[in-house]
Amino acid sequence: MKVVIIGGVAGGATAAARLRRLDEQAEIVVFERSGYVSYANCGLPYYIGGVIEDPEALTLQTPESFFARFRVDMRVRHEVTAIHPEHKAVSVTNLETGEEFEERYDKLLLSPGAKPIQPRLPGAGLEKVFTLRTVEDTFRIKEYIQTHQPRSAVLAGGGFIGLELAENLRELGMEVTIVQRPRQLMNPFDPDMAAFIHSEVRRHGINLVLGRTVEGFEEKAGGLDVLLKDEAPLHADMVVLAIGVTPDTALAREAGLELGLKGGIAVNDRMETSSPDIYAVGDAVQVKHYVTGQDAVISLAGPANRQGRIAADNICGGDSRYPGSQGSSVIKVFDLTAAATGVSETNAKKAGLDVDAVILSPMSHAGYYPGGRVMTMKVVFERGTCRLLGAQIVGYAGVDKRIDVLATAIHAGLTALQLKELDLAYAPPYSSAKDPVNMAGFMAENLANGLVKQWRIEDLPSLPRDGSVTLLDVRTPQEYGGGHIEGFRLIPVDELRERLGELERGKPVYVICQSGLRSYIACRILAGHGFDAYNFAGGFRYYGAVTNDRRLIEQATACGMDK
């Protein structure tokens, strides 16, 4: 059996290694357009910033090392220019010599990945405008910075690559501005959770220009003007386009393979395309979202690796199945860690799901043990069934541990209520006896059982201010004095029982505290005395972060720059 693989990196290289482990006699040929067959794509921004110092550390395998271990014929700088399913061959061009030839196959695996979105904007091809996707892109940016010592950069796009690159350029001492059309960074997060990311980015001196449309680039004063729609231009010494990626599927389209969402290659759960004996994996394929069951294109290394293994199994006669992509991800943002899995509340609603969420601010480990840090968690679930749909966490310690637990729970089909039953490891330096994941389960159970009712930040504008409801803040006088929501009166929770006579019976009571815990206790006290009480989801700390972010974005919209 002869297997030809188009593209290396995550999916193709994984499939090649798996194929060899399953079939010692198979002939395996990999064609990779770039000069690197397997590299750490996610590490590229950290090489630019100098965190990763050795460029060879980015290269996970070389053609020589791959051949030595797996006897796989890895041909870099070879571009496949056409696929011929009718006679099972591909046309190839050797980019070093210009030689053109055909290579026949018994089985073909497509792993072309994705390519940066490059809008057709005036000036997009200028020397100081870069994209970052390959090792070669990385070396070009690194060399430009070392040679020209730019003092400022504008990044168009605030996804994973854009945010990681912004951090690394800032650490090099550059003035960095992120500009993009959406009004938030990091689309996997809901806007309220993205507010914490925005705060950390701003805290480290990065300018955010959100809700703006880039219309082109012009060379000016030794640098570039970034032209914005209906706004004054931004000036910088260099620009990096990090608007996102799109499946690189021109070959598949020209070969007549069925395409789907965003032009991704349509595959079944065995990673088979619409053409016999042709498989496809990685960033170029359309898959099912594990939570919603809807079509999705998810560009992450983990799914690409798993898909490569599954395709190899099936090429060798097995029956492996890909259950869908869940979208679990994590990112370092200066000192902050932000992680997500499943679907956000925003996207769950777009998918037609009836959803609810709990928002909590637990400590990363036992509060009495030194060094604990507050994290903010949002766990999204389906009303009625309490099926877990997604989770987002931002914080400074313990975030990755909790998101992986929640990702596993979603994959296992647990409900939000079952989170309280998880037997998770505890020691004071690592967690609390009631882990934050358990706490999310307790809160979901209280909601499901009607033990507590909650109100959300989006309900605030519609809360009556005519005296028909009671607005109650149960923090300490010091906390209240440091900031509170207008119209909310103060009764500290520890004084509430003695001061119930100050509250008018028959009126709903909307309660807030710093994190949501004291207000929950207050709600239970009030309910026990016949009041109809509602607990604010997230607490005043969360409210302050979200409203401050919204204020800064609105100010930036008004004055043309977010500082």
Side-chain angles (χ1 to χ4, degrees), residues 390-411:
Q392 301 155 57
I393 312 176
V394 291
Y396 297 93
V399 170
D400 54 339
K401 170 182 177 178
R402 272 69 187 211
I403 204 69
D404 282 342
V405 171
L406 288 162
T408 303
I410 292 171
H411 187 83

Side-chain angles (χ1 to χ4, degrees), residues 169-451:
L169 294 181
R170 184 64 183 147
E171 296 288 7
L172 290 175
M174 297 174 63
E175 292 294 323
V176 179
T177 298
I178 299 176
V179 56
Q180 66 170 16
R181 185 178 303 167
R183 290 170 63 90
Q184 71 166 80
L185 305 176
M186 298 299 294
N187 185 58
F189 292 81
D190 286 313
D192 56 349
M193 297 299 285
F196 293 90
I197 300 174
H198 297 170
S199 176
E200 184 74 4
V201 168
R202 293 188 186 104
R203 188 170 72 88
H204 285 84
I206 291 178
N207 298 321
L208 296 183
V209 181
L210 305 177
R212 308 305 208 291
T213 301
V214 176
E215 292 196 324
F217 311 95
E218 290 181 355
E219 288 188 295
K220 191 171 183 181
L224 291 170
D225 270 2
V226 181
L227 309 179
L228 304 180
K229 184 178 181 181
D230 301 325
E231 297 281 354
L234 303 171
H235 187 77
D237 295 328
M238 63 181 293
V239 171
V240 181
L241 297 179
I243 298 172
V245 295
T246 185
D248 190 356
T249 55
L251 281 175
R253 182 179 63 252
E254 292 165 3
L257 302 186
E258 181 184 344
L259 303 182
L261 185 69
K262 297 181 181 179
I265 303 170
V267 294
N268 60 20
D269 61 358
R270 287 170 47 86
M271 310 313 299
E272 296 170 321
T273 71
S274 59
S275 183
D277 297 320
I278 300 181
Y279 298 74
V281 300
D283 294 355
V285 304
Q286 170 189 281
V287 296
K288 296 294 183 183
H289 196 287
Y290 186 80
V291 174
T292 66
Q294 296 179 345
D295 292 335
V297 175
I298 297 178
S299 299
L300 292 169
N305 276 278
R306 291 191 294 278
Q307 293 162 13
R309 180 184 176 92
I310 288 167
D313 287 350
N314 295 325
I315 287 171
C316 291
D319 188 26
S320 292
R321 306 278 174 161
Y322 186 66
S325 293
Q326 196 170 306
S328 300
S329 60
V330 63
I331 185 172
K332 174 185 177 295
V333 185
F334 293 99
D335 300 320
L336 187 77
T337 299
T341 187
V343 290
S344 65
E345 184 176 22
T346 303
N347 289 332
K349 289 178 178 178
K350 288 180 180 179
L353 297 171
D354 184 17
V355 302
D356 205 347
V358 293
I359 302 167
L360 59 159
S361 299
M363 295 288 285
S364 57
H365 62 241
Y368 61 83
Y369 188 88
R373 303 290 300 273
V374 173
M375 67 178 74
T376 302
M377 297 176 58
K378 183 175 188 179
V379 178
V380 182
F381 55 93
E382 191 173 34
R383 281 195 176 94
T385 67
C386 291
R387 177 170 69 106
L388 270 176
L389 301 175
Q392 301 155 57
I393 312 176
V394 291
Y396 297 93
V399 170
D400 54 339
K401 170 182 177 178
R402 272 69 187 211
I403 204 69
D404 282 342
V405 171
L406 288 162
T408 303
I410 292 171
H411 187 83
L414 301 187
T415 66
L417 277 58
Q418 287 176 298
L419 295 177
K420 65 184 173 59
E421 302 168 0
L422 296 179
D423 193 351
L424 303 174
Y426 160 63
Y430 302 104
S431 185
S432 301
K434 291 184 286 190
D435 188 86
V437 174
N438 297 136
M439 291 300 300
F442 296 144
M443 293 172 66
E445 181 184 46
N446 288 340
L447 284 175
N449 293 341
L451 194 63

Side-chain angles (χ1 to χ4, degrees), residues 14-90:
T14 295
R18 178 67 171 172
L19 283 165
R20 176 56 71 222
R21 290 194 295 271
L22 296 177
D23 188 339
E24 185 65 17
Q25 279 70 49
E27 182 182 356
I28 307 168
V29 181
V30 179
F31 294 114
E32 168 58 43
R33 181 171 47 201
S34 75
Y36 300 86
V37 73
S38 180
Y39 57 88
N41 189 289
C42 300
L44 301 182
Y46 299 99
Y47 174 68
I48 292 171
V51 178
I52 298 172
E53 297 180 355
D54 184 0
E56 292 187 3
L58 298 173
T59 306
L60 305 178
Q61 292 278 359
T62 65
E64 294 76 19
S65 67
F66 224 104
F67 183 81
R69 178 157 297 180
F70 298 110
R71 293 300 188 270
V72 169
D73 185 3
M74 290 280 190
R75 304 188 200 176
V76 296
R77 303 288 296 156
H78 280 68
E79 181 175 13
V80 174
T81 57
I83 301 169
H84 310 289
E86 66 283 356
H87 63 275
K88 287 192 170 184
V90 295

